[in-house]
Amino acid sequence: MASALRRARGTLVRGWSHPRLRRPKAIAQRIVTGLAGCLLIAVLAAGISLRLLYAGDPGPDTRTRGRDAVWLGHAWVDGRNGEAELTALVRRVRDTGIRDLYVHAGPLEHDGTLPEGRYPKAGWLLKAVHRDLPGVRVQAWLGDVLDTEGPTGLSLADGDNRTRIVASARQVLDAGFDGVHFDLEPLHSGDRAYLALLDALHTLTRARHAPLSVAAHQIDPLPALHSVAGFLTGHPKWWSQSYFGQVARRVDQIAVMSYDTSMPLERLYGGYVAQQTRLALEATPPTTDLLMGLPGYHTNNLGRHAWAETVPAAVRGARLGLGREDRHRERFGVALYVDFAATDDDWAAYREGWGGRAAG
């Protein structure tokens, strides 16, 4: 007994193994292990969910409604592109569902103004498109970096800036553009100044019988995920579904930038697009055109994997989401980003998977 007691005392002194002394460290280790396990389970559950959303066959009625779009680079209005490039564009767009060309005419200055020298060849493009692609609209794509996450940029909170943005929209409509498409980033969920800007812009565009179109952030795939992302990284990335709906009700057309998702596999990305399509359909009124973005570019970085984010996966995901949520909705389409990076395969995937129409 005495020997056992001495051994116990020795262990206590040398190893500090008394259960009361080990408890705080053990509890901390259990907490860390538990949190890691919960995170792993959540990731696996999310992956399985997205994979299931990509399963099944799109319905035969989930095809183009003739309301699709493509983003076009600045070379179309600054003189770099000419008749040869126009011929190729007409060949690609004709007999598809593309109705809108978003032509980059900006960027805006940080005070909301737009120098007219930024689009010297706009008149040539407008005339050529209206001649060679009857019924296709040319919208001026305007945008800028906002000051929401950095020391410089365009501040929408400044009422004078918003007034100048409206004046810039009037300027491009006066130049002959059929509509105006805005892409202002990074735009945080709940931004009231942006809603005020849209109200002012829509007053202008309605009076001019021109469409008001916007590029939109993705919707929270999980409730309040934008708040969590904003707290952890300073970049909320997503919008709440409620805010998405507030924006959609103020415009004629809303195009979801459904790419740069960090998805590692094509099937997960396609499932993500199907989920985004459903969420966007739920929030978008039937009087607004809803377009889902197609990733026609091929860069690789932490936020985007070209082998996963493909046009075929996006088209199939959009069709699956449409078929499940609102298969008879007419005001729906897709938008290809962007013309100067999209390959022949990207255009073929759009045409064959969604947008092809019989000639004649």
Side-chain angles (χ1 to χ4, degrees):
M1 175 65 74
S3 175
L5 181 58
R6 283 195 297 271
R7 286 197 301 272
R9 286 174 178 171
T11 302
L12 176 61
V13 173
R14 290 194 303 270
W16 297 93
S17 59
H18 193 284
R20 289 185 179 178
L21 297 178
R22 295 198 312 267
R23 187 173 300 167
K25 183 177 180 180
I27 291 175
Q29 290 175 336
R30 291 192 194 104
I31 291 174
V32 170
T33 302
L35 290 175
C38 289
L39 179 61
L40 178 60
I41 292 172
V43 170
L44 291 174
I48 293 171
S49 175
L50 293 179
R51 179 62 186 88
L52 291 174
L53 287 173
Y54 197 59
D57 295 319
D61 54 348
T62 55
R63 301 283 296 181
T64 186
R65 276 82 163 126
R67 297 176 181 271
D68 306 328
V70 57
W71 279 277
L72 302 182
H74 201 79
W76 290 101
V77 292
D78 67 6
R80 283 176 289 166
N81 283 354
E83 292 296 334
E85 290 80 9
L86 177 67
T87 298
L89 178 67
V90 169
R91 175 178 54 81
R92 282 174 159 166
V93 169
R94 183 174 285 155
D95 300 325
T96 70
I98 290 177
R99 182 179 64 164
D100 287 295
L101 308 179
Y102 304 142
V103 182
H104 191 264
L108 298 169
E109 295 291 304
H110 288 343
D111 65 355
T113 58
L114 177 65
E116 291 187 9
R118 298 229 164 118
Y119 48 92
K121 298 297 182 179
W124 165 80
L125 177 67
L126 290 161
K127 182 179 179 180
V129 170
H130 293 157
R131 178 194 67 223
D132 296 340
L133 293 169
V136 172
R137 304 182 299 192
V138 183
Q139 297 196 43
W141 167 14
L142 303 179
D144 193 19
V145 176
L146 300 180
D147 67 346
T148 51
E149 297 178 13
T152 61
L154 173 60
S155 173
L156 297 182
D158 187 322
D160 291 337
N161 287 351
R162 297 199 301 272
T163 298
R164 286 187 284 265
I165 294 172
V166 174
S168 295
R170 183 180 298 108
Q171 178 180 314
V172 294
L173 293 177
D174 288 343
F177 283 94
D178 300 309
V180 60
H181 173 81
F182 279 93
D183 178 14
L184 300 168
E185 303 180 51
L187 210 160
H188 293 180
S189 184
D191 191 319
R192 304 300 302 178
Y194 182 57
L195 300 181
L197 171 64
L198 294 179
D199 288 336
L201 286 167
H202 214 180
T203 298
L204 166 68
T205 56
R206 271 196 301 259
R208 301 290 289 269
H209 304 288
L212 173 61
S213 174
V214 296
H217 289 250
Q218 298 156 32
I219 301 173
D220 281 336
L222 297 172
L225 188 58
H226 71 279
S227 298
V228 176
F231 176 77
L232 294 176
T233 68
H235 175 54
K237 182 177 175 64
W238 298 276
W239 286 353
S240 71
Q241 190 181 38
S242 173
Y243 186 69
F244 186 97
Q246 293 178 61
V247 172
R249 288 191 292 273
R250 287 170 164 82
V251 299
D252 302 299
Q253 186 181 69
I254 186 166
V256 183
M257 296 180 286
S258 41
Y259 32 76
D260 295 338
T261 65
S262 299
M263 290 292 155
L265 300 173
E266 189 175 35
R267 291 182 177 183
L268 296 183
Y269 171 66
Y272 183 85
V273 173
Q275 180 195 49
Q276 286 292 307
T277 301
R278 176 182 62 81
L279 293 171
L281 283 167
E282 289 175 349
T284 304
T287 53
T288 301
D289 288 343
L290 170 64
L291 279 63
M292 302 304 296
L294 306 180
Y297 62 105
H298 302 273
T299 55
N300 285 293
N301 51 50
L302 289 176
R304 204 243 172 188
H305 306 304
W307 62 83
E309 291 190 12
T310 67
V311 172
V315 167
R316 189 169 187 274
R319 292 183 66 190
L320 287 167
L322 175 65
R324 291 165 183 155
E325 182 62 29
D326 191 358
R327 68 184 321 114
H328 300 298
R329 182 186 175 104
E330 283 301 312
R331 300 183 77 99
F332 183 87
V334 297
L336 181 66
Y337 180 88
V338 56
D339 76 301
F340 55 80
T343 65
D344 288 340
D345 287 343
D346 293 329
W347 280 98
Y350 157 70
R351 181 185 286 268
E352 295 165 9
W354 170 262
R357 287 179 157 188

